[in-house]
Amino acid sequence: MSIKVKRSRAQPIAQLLTKSGGVGQLMRQSRLIDQAQRHLRAHLPEEMREHIFVGGFSNGRLTLISGQASWLTWLRYEQSRLLDLLHQLPGFEGVTGFTLKVRPIRPIETPKRYTRTLSDDAGKTLAECAKDTDNPKLKNALERLASHAARPIEPK
């Protein structure tokens, strides 16, 4: 028995984004969630803004997530005011309420950036090699490498 696989053809990204389902729908929903989060955060008290996140939208309800139950308790009392604020945004007229969830919030960590450094002696050696080189591409490459050398801080 053999299994035949239908090969799919690559499609342009514009075509994928404009289709009614799939990636286009996901991108549209992601933009709406981001818009709702920015709008709600703008109308929350200053100390709460960094603790409330919009998690998603389904069945006419917007999911709000926080790391502490105390923030969500305050939101529970403010639901009608926040719903009125959301209804001002186009695309959110159908929101009927909120689903409040307490979840651990992990801050987004940017990856550490590793930079190349060379000793002063290595930088001087590379710079001298660049001066003695006639090939312009090699000279440029050596100068770029020499620029990674640790430079002493000059007193002001």
Side-chain angles (χ1 to χ4, degrees):
M1 176 189 323
S2 71
I3 299 174
K4 293 186 179 180
V5 178
K6 182 180 178 183
R7 289 189 180 181
S8 60
R9 304 260 183 226
Q11 298 175 3
I13 190 75
Q15 183 179 355
L16 290 172
L17 292 176
T18 57
K19 285 186 178 178
S20 60
V23 178
Q25 180 67 19
L26 185 64
M27 294 294 288
R28 186 175 95 62
Q29 188 172 9
S30 132
R31 272 189 235 108
L32 286 173
I33 288 172
D34 182 53
Q35 183 182 11
Q37 181 161 329
R38 281 188 277 115
H39 191 67
L40 283 176
R41 278 188 171 179
H43 292 89
L44 289 174
E46 184 71 33
E47 64 274 3
M48 283 184 73
R49 290 181 183 166
E50 296 303 314
H51 302 282
I52 305 298
F53 299 90
V54 176
F57 177 76
S58 66
N59 301 328
R61 298 182 66 80
L62 199 66
T63 302
L64 298 178
I65 300 172
S66 178
Q68 293 180 327
S70 60
W71 300 121
L72 296 180
T73 302
W74 184 89
L75 287 176
R76 197 169 279 119
Y77 290 108
E78 294 290 321
Q79 277 190 27
S80 60
R81 182 180 75 85
L82 294 175
L83 272 175
D84 291 339
L85 284 171
L86 265 182
H87 290 154
Q88 296 171 358
L89 292 174
F92 289 96
E93 298 85 10
V95 176
T96 59
F98 297 111
T99 302
L100 306 173
K101 294 185 178 186
V102 178
R103 297 286 185 268
I105 306 294
R106 292 180 192 93
I108 298 172
E109 295 178 12
T110 55
K112 294 179 182 175
R113 185 163 186 214
Y114 296 104
T115 56
R116 294 178 280 178
T117 57
L118 296 174
S119 66
D120 283 336
D121 292 335
K124 288 176 186 175
T125 304
L126 286 170
E128 290 171 6
C129 287
K131 287 179 187 174
D132 295 336
T133 304
D134 295 331
N135 185 330
K137 288 184 180 180
L138 180 58
K139 184 174 190 159
N140 190 13
L142 288 170
E143 288 171 348
R144 277 193 320 241
L145 283 173
S147 70
H148 292 288
R151 292 185 182 91
I153 299 173
E154 296 177 14
K156 293 182 180 181

